[in-house]
Amino acid sequence: MSTPPVTDGHSHDEPVDENLPARDDLYANPGLEEHHWRPTDVDPKAEKRAERQVAALFTLSALCTVLLLVAYFTIDADDTIGGLGAQNLAFGLCLAGALLGIGIGIIQWARKLMADVEIVEYRHPAASSEEDRAVTIQALSDGLEESGIGRRPLVRNSLLGAVGLLGLPAVVFLRDLGPTNAQVVANPPFPGSGLEHTVWTKGMRVVRDVVGSPIRPSDLEIGDLVNAEPEALFNGGEDGEPMEGVALQVAKSKGAVVVVRIEPDEITPGKGRENWSVDGILCYSKICTHVGCPISLYERTTHHLLCPCHQSTFDLADSARVVFGPAARPLPQLALAVDDEGYLVAQADFDEPVGPSYWERG
Amino acid sequence: MRLLNRSAGRLSRHRRGPLAGLLVIIAGLLLTGGLFTAIVNTTAQADETASSADQVAQGRDLFLVSCAFCHGQNGEGIRTEDGNQIGPSLVGVGAAAVDFQVGTGRMPMAQPGAQVPSKPELFDDEETAALAAYVASLGPGPAIPTEEDYSIEGLSDEEREAAISRGGQIFLTNCTACHNFEGSGGAMPHGGYAPNLHETSARHIYEAMLTGPQNMPNFANGNLSPDEKRDVIAYLYSLREMPNYGGFGLGGLGPVPEGMAAWLLGIGLLVGFAIWIAAHTTRTNKKKVDA
């Protein structure tokens, strides 16, 4: 393999200072270094050895693939090795071996056996020549001139109108993908549908999440936190059965609440909310007003409720005022009362929409 | 009948044997000893009730030395003039709170701060019990739970499985927000953290739910029933025995450490390997011999 001829990259049409010697004479062109061959290029034994290495790596890969299949059929999915799942561990190791065997084999092949050539590639300016650019611009302006788009405003404007109107079907069709909030409110498909409403109603019991048992004020001590749900989740379905499907998801996603009991002296009741608590028991929406994460990181000494997603912090003793973070509104408060049997109930639905702010809310 | 006669006969044959006297003496001694222990035990129990006053007194002595500086000489709590709490009142926190705080080494506190860390206990079991008895005597509060409160030993296999799955749901609803879905703990505001629950004993987990230590909310018995607390503990214990089917758990902290391991370790190793390959292409000074 001979080295390619080396030409210098300078063009000779630049003005040359006559007081200086010609540039090529200033330093002799050193040319390219002598090419050093790889051992595999000059020693047939080394070449054979490398060939065997590459083949061995590919064989190792094949072996790992076979072992992978063997592991799939022979290892029980419940078996463990050192606290790890035996089957997954075998899959991982075998697949890694199979892929690495092929990858390392190819690299070894390229490094030791494939052609060993040094190539010189000179850099050229990326732009097209002035001539090419002029031709292109000319062609473009000729085309514009021939189409007469500047001369015939009627054609141009009617085309623009037709193309613009094509956007309208997209708006209409996409709007039809789901009911608007106004449609949902006018004809609610589930109890508590729509952005402004939840499943809570006057007299609905506040029950513990998961177990669904109602709560007496005397059950709770100062510092208690209950993750609670509207009772309708557990008896609002058909024939008093638990809710199911979309109705359940809609009710749960907006109706989840946290109930806390705080020393009554430490509570600053909001304006008009003086009778919303029962013996220091307060109830707030669990859905963060920032982007709607469910929150229950509660600190009993500070009464702060922290959202884990973006660190919005609400002071539950002070109408869930935002004390830190990106949330713009306090958590909606659910007015509590006690029913005839002594259990906590809602006085009414939330008096404002729960969850994140939205366009029409203002 | 014949069998009985025969063994009776065998016994009577042995009654004059050389070891018979010795056996009779041993049997007699065991009987007397057993009776004596039984009788003495009842008196010892009576003594224990009497000694609980001593225990309270011992607890008070320990309290005055180790706790009164912050909690006041009668456990009434101390506030500074500007209203900051130095130590809260211990009236009504109950023996369970003391058993948790002292038994996990959180109290006595080394220094005030955002977090009261668990550390090697300062008091032995007897002293902790004495302190608990003293604080319990200040006002009614939750008692130290017994093993049957938090153990699922007595349940059948099916009941255990049901308990673990119910406990899991309760844990995921009430506890994961702070303690992570695997109980690995997590960060809290102002430099605090919710501790890891993997090493905490069942009794201490139960007491923590019962009393709400430091910033943790209470899950008193009216909030989570004793059975629900037991189920949560059963779930946490089942997590400890759970093998990592998906590979190394990396602390169960979620996608951040997993992503870091994949990007830094995995891709870092591959990049390092590629650089190593590129840097190690050997060359020789030998010339090629044209064949």
Side-chain angles (χ1 to χ4, degrees):
Chain A
M1 189 78 213
S2 63
T3 53
V6 179
T7 60
D8 78 352
H10 304 293
S11 51
H12 288 276
D13 47 7
E14 298 167 33
V16 176
D17 189 340
E18 287 177 3
N19 297 325
L20 292 174
R23 254 193 304 190
D24 283 349
D25 306 337
L26 198 53
Y27 300 106
N29 184 345
L32 289 179
E33 271 182 58
E34 189 200 357
H35 185 72
H36 289 274
W37 293 103
R38 300 168 303 190
T40 43
D41 291 320
V42 291
D43 180 3
K45 270 187 194 161
E47 193 183 346
K48 275 281 162 218
R49 203 158 51 234
E51 215 178 318
R52 281 195 299 272
Q53 273 177 9
V54 173
L57 281 163
F58 290 157
T59 316
L60 180 76
S61 163
L63 195 68
C64 285
T65 309
V66 172
L67 278 177
L68 176 67
L69 294 177
V70 170
Y72 179 83
F73 287 110
T74 56
I75 301 179
D76 192 55
D78 290 336
D79 286 351
T80 57
I81 295 178
L84 301 172
Q87 201 183 43
N88 276 335
L89 186 66
F91 287 173
L93 291 177
C94 291
L95 195 60
L99 294 174
L100 281 174
I102 292 176
I104 298 173
I106 288 177
I107 286 172
Q108 191 75 345
W109 182 8
R111 275 180 60 217
K112 294 203 159 174
L113 295 174
M114 285 187 190
D116 183 31
V117 187
E118 277 168 31
I119 295 171
V120 178
E121 204 173 350
Y122 290 105
R123 294 184 190 186
H124 303 287
S128 310
S129 69
E130 287 295 332
E131 198 182 328
D132 287 351
R133 280 190 271 179
V135 169
T136 312
I137 289 170
Q138 186 59 43
L140 203 62
S141 54
D142 284 354
L144 281 174
E145 180 58 32
E146 282 167 20
S147 71
I149 200 164
R151 276 182 290 120
R152 300 186 207 281
L154 181 65
V155 172
R156 183 194 63 202
N157 292 347
S158 54
L159 172 67
L160 287 179
V163 171
L165 205 62
L166 259 180
L168 203 58
V171 174
V172 175
F173 277 54
L174 289 176
R175 186 180 175 279
D176 209 29
L177 283 180
T180 62
N181 188 43
Q183 286 166 341
V184 171
V185 171
N187 185 17
F190 307 111
S193 294
L195 293 169
E196 289 97 5
H197 304 283
T198 69
V199 76
W200 287 104
T201 52
K202 182 175 171 17
M204 184 177 289
R205 279 183 183 161
V206 183
V207 300
R208 297 175 179 89
D209 200 353
V210 180
V211 284
S213 50
I215 305 163
R216 287 178 196 276
S218 57
D219 289 343
L220 303 185
E221 294 175 8
I222 302 288
D224 256 325
L225 163 81
V226 188
N227 291 280
E229 297 283 357
E231 194 184 24
L233 254 60
F234 297 91
N235 66 4
E238 281 176 38
D239 307 326
E241 290 288 300
M243 279 189 170
E244 282 178 354
V246 182
L248 173 69
Q249 301 305 333
V250 168
K252 204 172 185 179
S253 63
K254 293 187 295 178
V257 290
V258 287
V259 177
V260 291
R261 184 160 196 173
I262 298 174
E263 191 73 57
D265 298 347
E266 296 175 8
I267 299 175
T268 320
K271 225 177 171 186
R273 295 182 173 185
E274 288 82 3
N275 65 345
W276 283 20
S277 64
V278 176
D279 299 339
I281 299 175
L282 297 162
C283 182
Y284 293 98
S285 165
K286 195 179 178 177
I287 314 300
C288 184
T289 56
H290 176 220
V291 284
C293 297
I295 340 174
S296 59
L297 282 82
Y298 177 60
E299 291 189 317
R300 62 179 286 183
T301 52
T302 56
H303 323 304
H304 287 175
L305 192 69
L306 171 85
C307 180
C309 296
H310 305 97
Q311 281 68 51
S312 293
T313 310
F314 304 88
D315 186 354
L316 297 194
D318 188 7
S319 302
R321 187 169 56 87
V322 181
V323 291
F324 182 79
R329 299 168 197 273
L331 294 168
Q333 186 176 353
L334 189 74
L336 288 181
V338 177
D339 68 6
D340 299 341
E341 292 176 51
Y343 293 111
L344 289 175
V345 294
Q347 288 185 25
D349 191 4
F350 290 104
D351 65 342
E352 55 182 326
V354 300
S357 302
Y358 50 90
W359 195 291
E360 299 91 332
R361 197 180 161 185
Chain B
M1 204 58 202
R2 265 177 64 190
L3 196 76
L4 198 69
N5 276 344
R6 210 189 300 161
S7 44
R10 214 177 280 156
L11 197 66
S12 98
R13 235 185 294 136
H14 286 300
R15 84 194 142 152
R16 291 184 202 284
L19 289 177
L22 192 63
L23 282 172
V24 169
I25 288 172
I26 288 174
L29 280 176
L30 281 177
L31 190 70
T32 340
L35 276 174
F36 179 76
T37 335
I39 292 162
V40 165
N41 248 5
T42 34
T43 23
Q45 265 163 18
D47 273 355
E48 248 168 47
T49 24
S51 77
S52 74
D54 294 343
Q55 203 184 18
V56 169
Q58 187 203 350
R60 182 159 193 276
D61 289 345
L62 290 169
F63 186 88
L64 286 174
V65 174
S66 300
C67 321
F69 186 81
C70 300
H71 290 291
Q73 294 194 1
N74 297 305
E76 73 278 20
I78 292 185
R79 276 183 188 276
T80 56
E81 280 183 8
D82 57 4
N84 283 330
Q85 186 105 58
I86 293 182
S89 163
L90 299 184
V91 177
V93 299
V98 180
D99 192 54
F100 176 84
Q101 300 280 5
V102 179
T104 59
R106 284 178 167 80
M107 293 286 157
M109 218 170 163
Q111 67 208 32
Q115 185 72 24
V116 187
S118 175
K119 56 184 188 297
E121 303 96 86
L122 224 62
F123 295 106
D124 62 24
D125 290 350
E126 190 200 330
E127 290 164 333
T128 309
L131 275 171
Y134 170 65
V135 171
S137 75
L138 299 175
I144 299 172
T146 58
E147 179 138 9
E148 57 202 49
D149 287 330
Y150 49 77
S151 165
I152 53 168
E153 286 298 318
L155 300 182
S156 72
D157 281 354
E158 271 176 34
E159 285 172 325
R160 275 186 207 188
E161 274 178 27
I164 288 171
S165 87
R166 189 169 53 238
Q169 287 192 7
I170 295 169
F171 184 84
L172 292 176
T173 306
N174 292 291
C175 320
T176 39
C178 302
H179 287 287
N180 162 301
F181 48 87
E182 250 193 17
S184 303
M188 295 299 286
H190 310 299
Y193 57 86
N196 181 321
L197 305 177
H198 294 320
E199 306 291 327
T200 317
S201 74
R203 191 174 89 228
H204 289 145
I205 297 174
Y206 196 102
E207 287 166 349
M209 288 190 269
L210 204 55
T211 62
Q214 277 79 36
N215 252 335
M216 175 172 157
N218 275 358
F219 294 92
N221 283 342
N223 182 350
L224 281 185
S225 71
D227 276 358
E228 288 160 3
K229 287 194 186 62
R230 178 200 67 193
D231 295 349
V232 166
I233 291 167
Y235 171 71
L236 281 171
Y237 269 68
S238 79
L239 280 186
R240 296 180 190 180
E241 290 156 15
M242 188 92 76
N244 281 315
Y245 284 110
F248 298 112
L250 303 177
L253 293 174
V256 173
E258 287 167 21
M260 272 171 70
W263 283 94
L264 298 185
L265 280 177
I267 296 186
L269 273 177
L270 290 180
V271 168
F273 190 51
I275 290 173
W276 180 81
I277 289 173
H280 283 80
T281 303
T282 46
R283 295 282 168 181
T284 173
N285 284 328
K286 282 187 192 164
K287 298 280 173 285
K288 217 168 186 176
V289 189
D290 286 326

